[in-house]
Amino acid sequence: MEQAPTLPKTVLGIETSCDETAAAVLRLDSSGPDVLGEVIASQFDAHRAYGGVVPEIAARAHADVCDETVRAALKEAGVTLDEIDGFAATSGPGLIGGVMVGMMTAKALALATGKPFIGVNHLEGHALSPRLGEPVDFPYLLLLVSGGHCQFIRVEGLGRYHRLGSTIDDAVGEAFDKTAKTLGLGFPGGPAVEKCALNGDPTAIAFPRPLLDRPGLDMSFAGLKTAVLREAQSRELTADALADICASFQAAIRDVLVEKTRRAMQAHAQASAEETEHRFVIAGGVGANQMLRSALTDLCAEQGFSFHAPPLKWCTDNGAMIAYAGALRLINGLKSELSLAARPRWPLDEAAAASAPVFGGGKRGAKA
Ligand code: KG4
Ligand code: ZN
């Protein structure tokens, strides 16, 4: 008979699905997760000239630094390979060349040490990431907003995810990145747009609020991106104009996300009628946006939900969330075969994706 999984478990997590090579060592014990060491090597400089992530450049950059990133994370943690109980790596969705680099590294370490390999869905890493900072009980309503994804998920437990709605075209982070590119604000776009918006008037331009007039939880951001382009082409882009465009763009995103989240909260509350408390989580790179966080915090207060978000450093891609998901999988006996293949697409809720594939969530994003 298989032994019951025991705590603590120490897991190395590797993330290479987009433009960050990240590794972390995490110990999970009965009091929760503890990140012992973590290193993130960003490739922003390599992609800046192109205004977006170039898959081939990303894959090479991951291959160049993956081993030293892992070594540095182990060193920071003060942990040797012998002390690691399992090796986790993002196995999709993402840019396939990069995903393969991280997976091969984790598989090689697993093979060499005779320890388990755990393939982790990148989106599961984001979905569980708030629990790195504080205990958040299941179930919770998750708004996952990143460069490749924008979706509402009801998180019922490890591996139990139900998609309630998603973007039907661009991911919200993609809209931020393209807006920044149109306005010449640099890459990555989200933080640049957020900074520029601080000096602008959010009511200056009436950008569209796509799909707000329709029932349901699906979203669309492609039209907003085009509206920004049209506005930018119609006027001189002074510092004031840039700030007004950014602030008005963010206000449109905020209005859409707040209204759709209000509806998602109603759906979630109905599905968890037996729960005495309702929890809302925002995760993914766009979850670092302070304006959105504060609008959604207010909405939570209005709707009787508690608000949870990972600390800023764990909103964007990182190894800690992969190590955490890997550790939870390990203690639940969910290790992977070494033959596991990298998946460029890998929906969290495979059943919903199969029955309604049109709503894939950020289909055109770097990580779609
Ligand atoms: O989660 P993440 O690191 O990678 C994906 O899984 O896609 O998210 C990256 C995305 C990028 O589109 C980036 O522009 C956006 O998150 N982002 C932000 C902010 N920080 C990062 N968007 C808005 N405001 C921010 N402060
Ligand atoms: Zn991500």
Side-chain angles (χ1 to χ4, degrees), residues 304-321:
F305 275 61
S306 56
F307 175 88
H308 308 271
L312 288 186
K313 65 176 172 178
W314 292 321
C315 278
T316 44
D317 291 348
N318 64 85
M321 66 183 192

Side-chain angles (χ1 to χ4, degrees), residues 15 17-18 122-123 126 144 146-147 284-285 315-318 321 367:
E15 156 59 37
S17 67
C18 194
H122 179 82
L123 304 177
H126 279 304
L144 175 53
S146 71
C315 278
T316 44
D317 291 348
N318 64 85
M321 66 183 192
K367 315 196 100 182

